[in-house]
Amino acid sequence: MPIAYSQGFTPHPKISYASAAPTGVGSEAEYLEIGLQAPVDPEQLRAALDAALSPGLDVLEAVIAGEGSLADRIDASRWQLELPGVDPGDAEKAVTAFLDSAEVLVERMTKQGRRTFDARAAVTRCALAGEPDLPSGAVGVRCAIIDLVVRQVTPAVRPDDVLSGLRVVAGLEPPVPPRVTRLAQGTLTAQGEIVDPLDADRGDVGIGGR
């Protein structure tokens, strides 16, 4: 692909990731922008990138980037938190205590050292996801599953911060590491829905010039 490069002594590919997922979590909704030197058919670009990546890293779609940056279209993420070995009733009590709290202070180690911040304000939804189900890849192990929507704020509030908050307010401690998956990211509407950041760009026929 005719990828574009930056200027200067150390040119690098013009690739911009928007709100990349934290290390150690799964994701079904990652987005990036790629600058190209010439127009390319979106499907050809998608197929070429998909073929070059390792199994499990799938490029699902490519569109022409419209006005504004990709980052301007992403202000929230939806996550699924699977908690193997956690009783759904205990998880629901912890979620209620978390949502009823005006502030939930948690700590996280950052590059600048240990930092304390509020994990509650950025959360717009935190609820048990329907009936308890089996965790992904597990057999015979019941678990609580939490549906979580978090706004992008500074400092960023990650799913593990919310889990720390559940421990702070209710002592909820999963016996094994939780499985966390990002299901969507985009613009959060007043109705609580997340709009796909590519929606505005679908329907064009070629990629190039950005």
Side-chain angles (χ1 to χ4, degrees):
M1 293 294 109
I3 191 167
Y5 286 80
S6 63
Q7 303 296 314
F9 292 105
T10 57
H12 58 274
K14 288 189 174 181
I15 301 176
S16 175
Y17 294 87
S19 185
T23 301
V25 306
S27 179
E28 299 176 359
E30 297 302 296
Y31 297 88
L32 58 86
E33 287 182 302
I34 301 176
L36 299 174
Q37 301 179 38
V40 173
D41 178 77
E43 176 55 24
Q44 289 183 355
L45 175 65
R46 185 209 65 78
L49 291 174
D50 190 59
L53 291 172
S54 301
L57 293 175
D58 301 317
V59 181
L60 303 180
E61 186 178 9
V63 300
I64 298 173
E67 295 298 322
S69 69
L70 178 61
D72 293 336
R73 304 182 188 184
I74 297 178
D75 62 16
S77 291
R78 181 184 177 194
W79 301 88
Q80 178 176 278
L81 282 56
E82 299 179 14
L83 311 179
V86 172
D87 181 85
D90 293 339
E92 188 166 16
K93 291 178 183 177
V95 165
T96 299
F98 181 88
L99 294 176
D100 287 345
S101 300
E103 181 181 65
V104 179
L105 297 179
V106 299
E107 290 187 344
R108 188 207 308 154
M109 183 62 70
T110 69
K111 294 180 180 179
Q112 292 74 38
R114 188 168 294 278
R115 184 168 186 177
T116 301
F117 57 93
D118 178 24
R120 173 64 185 89
V123 175
T124 65
R125 174 177 172 78
C126 187
L128 270 290
E131 292 298 319
D133 204 349
L134 291 173
S136 299
V139 177
V141 178
R142 304 292 287 180
C143 76
I145 299 179
I146 294 176
D147 182 26
L148 176 70
V149 176
V150 183
R151 286 188 179 276
Q152 287 192 8
V153 295
T154 302
V157 174
R158 308 184 313 202
D160 57 305
D161 298 321
V162 175
L163 290 172
S164 294
L166 296 177
R167 182 174 64 250
V168 168
V169 299
L172 188 70
E173 290 272 10
V176 297
R179 182 185 180 99
V180 179
T181 305
R182 172 146 60 189
L183 301 180
Q185 58 175 324
T187 303
L188 186 65
T189 69
Q191 293 73 37
E193 300 296 323
I194 293 181
V195 178
D196 188 327
L198 302 188
D199 274 358
D201 299 326
R202 291 188 171 97
D204 290 315
V205 296
I207 296 179
R210 288 195 60 187

